[in-house]
Amino acid sequence: AQSVAQPEDQVNVAEGNPLTVKCTYSVSGNPYLFWYVQYPNRGLQFLLKYITGDNLVKGSYGFEAEFNKSQTSFHLKKPSALVSDSALYFCAVRGGYNKLIFGAGTRLAVHP
Amino acid sequence: SAVISQKPSRDICQRGTSLTIQCQVDSQVTMMFWYRQQPGQSLTLIATANQGSEATYESGFVIDKFPISRPNLTFSTLTVSNLSPEDSSIYLCSVETSYEQYFGPGTRLTVT
């Protein structure tokens, strides 16, 4: 069965420092992987996706993610965190019939 | 991309009543999805709605409780019936274009 794990409930980072939000997945076949961000009282916003090709995927707001097939990981990264990046981040994998299977979410807190 | 609107944005309903949530997309799409996000939790798919056919429900969700309509390629409704406090959640609709799922702003339901 397809699944996604986000091992950290919360990640704390100082503004200006690099950030990483971890995600590992379990799928049969080639994975389609996604990152979404949810700001308070707002819907989910698409950040980036990996379908095929380059293992390093660039997305919105300066975020990028690295697909690692051998480690079955798709970690979200940003070289320099902003306080405004503080939000809830979800990793997702595409399952059968195009449905998305979401991880539990990781709350990112960026401190000034 | 797709722009999705939902009505209402929030509601407070009494136990035993029903709430119908509307989802409107700015372009024609084949598949629409309805998700539930319980307080402090991740997203769970309720059902997939294709125009012209019955919705497909995920395990744990039934049509009597969550009837869905999909009258055309830009609109869908989700009804949450016979409300109980456990139904208090955010309900989100989404659509997929080019392997990316876009989400509406959500409907925050509180059942008293």
Side-chain angles (χ1 to χ4, degrees):
Chain A
Q2 290 119 335
S3 65
V4 175
Q6 293 181 243
E8 303 154 317
D9 290 337
Q10 179 151 334
V11 170
N12 297 298
V13 178
E15 188 175 30
N17 283 2
L19 70 87
T20 299
V21 183
K22 295 179 180 177
C23 172
T24 59
Y25 64 89
S26 175
V27 298
S28 54
N30 294 321
Y32 290 5
L33 297 158
F34 305 84
W35 276 101
Y36 287 85
V37 60
Q38 186 175 39
Y39 297 99
N41 300 314
R42 293 170 66 176
L44 263 69
Q45 295 181 30
F46 172 83
L47 277 180
L48 51 80
K49 70 177 186 282
Y50 173 82
I51 303 296
T52 187
D54 254 348
N55 289 343
L56 186 64
V57 179
K58 295 190 182 297
S60 306
Y61 312 122
F63 284 93
E64 58 190 26
E66 186 169 12
F67 171 66
N68 188 317
K69 188 172 184 177
S70 62
Q71 296 185 6
T72 62
S73 67
F74 189 56
H75 300 331
L76 181 70
K77 301 181 179 185
K78 188 173 183 180
S80 178
L82 301 172
V83 173
S84 58
D85 292 330
S86 299
L88 189 56
Y89 290 81
F90 291 100
C91 182
V93 65
R94 192 175 190 222
Y97 303 103
N98 298 358
K99 68 180 181 182
L100 286 180
I101 300 161
F102 285 87
T106 298
R107 189 165 299 281
L108 174 65
V110 181
H111 305 285
Chain B
S1 67
V3 178
I4 304 169
S5 59
Q6 285 185 234
K7 291 181 181 179
S9 58
R10 58 178 62 221
D11 207 342
I12 301 172
C13 299
Q14 290 193 341
R15 186 193 300 253
T17 63
S18 298
L19 176 70
T20 295
I21 302 167
Q22 298 179 7
C23 178
Q24 180 76 50
V25 188
D26 67 342
S27 57
Q28 294 185 338
V29 292
T30 303
M31 300 178 77
M32 296 181 77
F33 305 86
W34 286 98
Y35 289 84
R36 180 176 73 181
Q37 186 178 20
Q38 294 179 300
Q41 296 194 26
S42 185
L43 285 81
T44 302
L45 181 66
I46 297 171
T48 303
N50 290 337
Q51 194 266 337
S53 63
E54 294 283 332
T56 302
Y57 289 83
E58 296 298 302
S59 176
F61 298 95
V62 295
I63 188 171
D64 289 347
K65 175 69 175 177
F66 299 99
I68 289 171
S69 77
R70 183 77 201 276
N72 58 52
L73 292 173
T74 63
F75 187 79
S76 178
T77 66
L78 169 73
T79 299
V80 189
S81 304
N82 190 23
L83 290 168
S84 68
E86 293 72 35
D87 295 319
S88 297
S89 296
I90 299 172
Y91 293 86
L92 301 102
C93 69
S94 77
V95 302
E96 179 173 288
T97 62
S98 302
Y99 299 108
E100 298 172 10
Q101 276 198 21
Y102 295 92
F103 287 79
T107 296
R108 184 180 294 271
L109 169 62
T110 302
V111 183
T112 60

